[in-house]
Amino acid sequence: MGEDSAIFWSFDVPSYPEEYPDDESVDEIDVHAEPWLKTYLAVTIIACITGLPLNFAILFIIMKKKLYRDVIWFLQGVFSITLIVRIIMIPIEYHASRHPRGFAYETVASCKAFHFFVEFSGASSNMMLLALLSVRLISFTPRRQYIAKHPIICGVFVSMVVMFIAFFSTVPIVSYLDLTIFDDERTMRICHVHFDKYDPYLRWNKFNVSFCMFMPFIIGVICVIIMAINQTKFYREYCKTSVSYLRQLDSVDNKENGSTKASDFEDDRPMVDEIYSGESEQEERRITILHIAYMVIYMVILLPYVISVTMAVHYANAYTSVLHWALKYTHIVSLTVGIINPLAAFFIIPKLRELKS
């Protein structure tokens, strides 16, 4: 254990140029001295400029069109919020990579807080994606009637469970971190796991990686496969039984807004029901395609980084220069998930591109 823990660090320790002027301390890492930081900076800027507006736009459309009355869209909104938090942490992570003596490593508390929000933002978004896909699959079962009647209650409950799991899976890991200050003419701060706590840290980290990273991917793939294989049967049953509920929602809107919709004409009820069923089936198919896209994005964008981190943490003897390089660049690629997910939603779901309610 001693040899493994001696070469293990809980984060990617920045490498420094071998020579510094004698009168300078390590306050900031030069981007030109660390070429990978150029890519990191570019992705950080792009994520903040594009990722934040895209996710806020999805939230705005969900609220404007009252899509939150469907529990799937309610959870989609919460998923966008977790991606926003994840994007907010990107420039903070970048600052910590450039400034080894910055606020993230000023005290033990700031060290733990920084790592907590980094870990929590990732765990919450991964678990929310799992919740979104799981509830989506449940909505094709007889329990869909309760979900349809109480979408906000179900959405709030599921969101609270997800946040609870993400919080309590992250806190134990962060509690094992410690701040070490090396003061040999230049002060360098490193936030890492204390050697005496290495074994319990590994146990909790194994649980966190399995439960909050690999499990969402595995169960999510199973959910989308089941929906894809049984989509025709699911959509026909689900959409037909959803027509009456959609008509009830329209009736409420008509009374509130004083408007008239096709569902008000009782003489044309069969035709209206057929229209609703056809439109609903087409929309449900698009949502399934979106969820499949989410899983492909997870596999291509996030999974390589998850595997690299798992190798670095649990197989310290295998830590080589190749793995060190993989950790850096897979981490940079994983930062783009907050951009690609909303882009996929806008591209696949037409109603998100329509500003009219």
Side-chain angles (χ1 to χ4, degrees), residues 126-127 130 210-220 295 298:
N126 293 344
M127 294 300 295
L130 172 60
S210 302
F211 199 76
C212 298
M213 293 184 182
F214 284 109
M215 187 182 73
F217 173 73
I218 296 173
I219 298 181
M295 295 314 303
Y298 193 106

Side-chain angles (χ1 to χ4, degrees), residues 17 40 67 270:
Y40 198 168
L67 298 178

Side-chain angles (χ1 to χ4, degrees), residues 108-220:
V108 175
S110 64
C111 159
K112 292 186 176 183
F114 166 67
H115 282 272
F116 170 80
F117 284 108
V118 170
E119 296 288 340
F120 177 79
S121 62
S124 60
S125 64
N126 293 344
M127 294 300 295
M128 185 54 63
L129 176 59
L130 172 60
L132 177 62
L133 299 176
S134 300
V135 174
R136 166 72 171 167
L137 184 59
I138 294 174
S139 68
F140 287 107
T141 67
R143 295 184 181 274
R144 62 180 174 270
Q145 295 180 356
Y146 177 83
I147 295 176
K149 291 180 180 178
H150 307 88
I152 297 180
I153 295 177
C154 292
V156 171
F157 174 76
V158 171
S159 300
M160 290 179 63
V161 171
V162 167
M163 298 305 165
F164 179 87
I165 294 174
F167 179 85
F168 284 98
S169 64
T170 302
V171 168
I173 294 178
V174 175
S175 66
Y176 294 123
L177 296 179
D178 196 7
L179 183 66
T180 300
I181 300 176
F182 299 95
D183 194 358
D184 51 351
E185 296 181 358
R186 306 181 183 94
T187 300
M188 186 173 67
R189 304 169 188 270
I190 297 178
C191 192
H192 66 96
V193 180
H194 195 277
F195 295 159
D196 296 337
K197 302 176 181 178
Y198 183 71
D199 286 340
Y201 170 83
L202 280 185
R203 288 194 292 269
W204 271 107
N205 186 271
K206 184 179 296 184
F207 166 80
N208 186 54
V209 170
S210 302
F211 199 76
C212 298
M213 293 184 182
F214 284 109
M215 187 182 73
F217 173 73
I218 296 173
I219 298 181

Side-chain angles (χ1 to χ4, degrees), residues 32-45:
H32 299 288
E34 294 289 335
W36 71 277
L37 284 173
K38 295 180 181 179
T39 307
Y40 198 168
L41 177 60
V43 172
T44 298
I45 294 173

Side-chain angles (χ1 to χ4, degrees), residues 27-77:
D27 291 326
E28 180 177 355
I29 302 174
D30 186 4
V31 174
H32 299 288
E34 294 289 335
W36 71 277
L37 284 173
K38 295 180 181 179
T39 307
Y40 198 168
L41 177 60
V43 172
T44 298
I45 294 173
I46 294 173
C48 294
I49 292 177
T50 61
L52 286 176
L54 286 171
N55 285 285
F56 275 117
I58 289 180
L59 287 175
F60 173 77
I61 294 172
I62 290 175
M63 295 298 295
K64 180 178 177 59
K65 295 188 175 184
K66 298 182 180 179
L67 298 178
Y68 54 81
R69 296 180 301 182
D70 184 336
V71 67
I72 302 302
W73 282 107
F74 183 97
L75 294 178
Q76 175 67 51

